Amino acid sequence: MTDHPAALDLDLLATARSVPEIRQRLRAHRYEVRLCATELVTNVVDHLGEGTPVSVRVYATGDDRTRVEVTDPDPRALPVLLHATLTDECGRGLTLIGALALRWGVEQGERGKTVWCELPAEESP
């Protein structure tokens, strides 16, 4: 972890209604950052259930990257990259993250896990 200040540090319950709130809070960030953050939160809703508490962080890493992190309380439910078919209604979230991000991964702890991705740094206004 870096000790850069968070551009966004938000604690909320992961619900379908929280996704537009996250997009709104990240409106100063480019589309790819907003998309990755909301995809990671949607994964929590889909795999752990509505109302799961999460922390969403977005910050500059200091090495020309923007890092998006979503932390949830379940250290066992690890994300899996699926190969969705054209007719599948789900299973594309991490594929999308993998296509947009320079890299992504999971950090497990005793009290939860953080799924993160890093994108090229955003230009300063």
Side-chain angles (χ1 to χ4, degrees), residues 53-69:
V54 296
S55 296
V56 179
R57 293 186 70 217
V58 177
Y59 59 93
T61 64
D63 60 355
D64 293 327
R65 294 179 182 194
T66 298
R67 186 167 171 123
V68 177
E69 299 177 347

Side-chain angles (χ1 to χ4, degrees), residues 27-90:
R27 69 186 173 277
H29 293 269
R30 69 177 189 269
Y31 176 75
E32 293 85 358
V33 171
R34 295 190 311 266
L35 182 60
C36 287
T38 57
E39 281 296 324
L40 292 176
V41 171
T42 299
N43 279 349
V44 174
V45 173
D46 290 346
H47 299 288
L48 297 181
E50 286 266 336
T52 301
V54 296
S55 296
V56 179
R57 293 186 70 217
V58 177
Y59 59 93
T61 64
D63 60 355
D64 293 327
R65 294 179 182 194
T66 298
R67 186 167 171 123
V68 177
E69 299 177 347
V70 173
T71 302
D72 69 60
D74 190 339
R76 299 161 305 174
L78 298 178
V80 177
L81 184 61
L82 301 175
H83 298 284
T85 67
L86 290 175
T87 58
D88 287 339
E89 292 185 17
C90 60

Side-chain angles (χ1 to χ4, degrees), residues 13-21 23 41-42 45 50-51:
L13 298 179
T15 65
R17 290 182 155 189
S18 65
V19 170
E21 176 187 352
R23 280 192 206 115
V41 171
T42 299
V45 173
E50 286 266 336

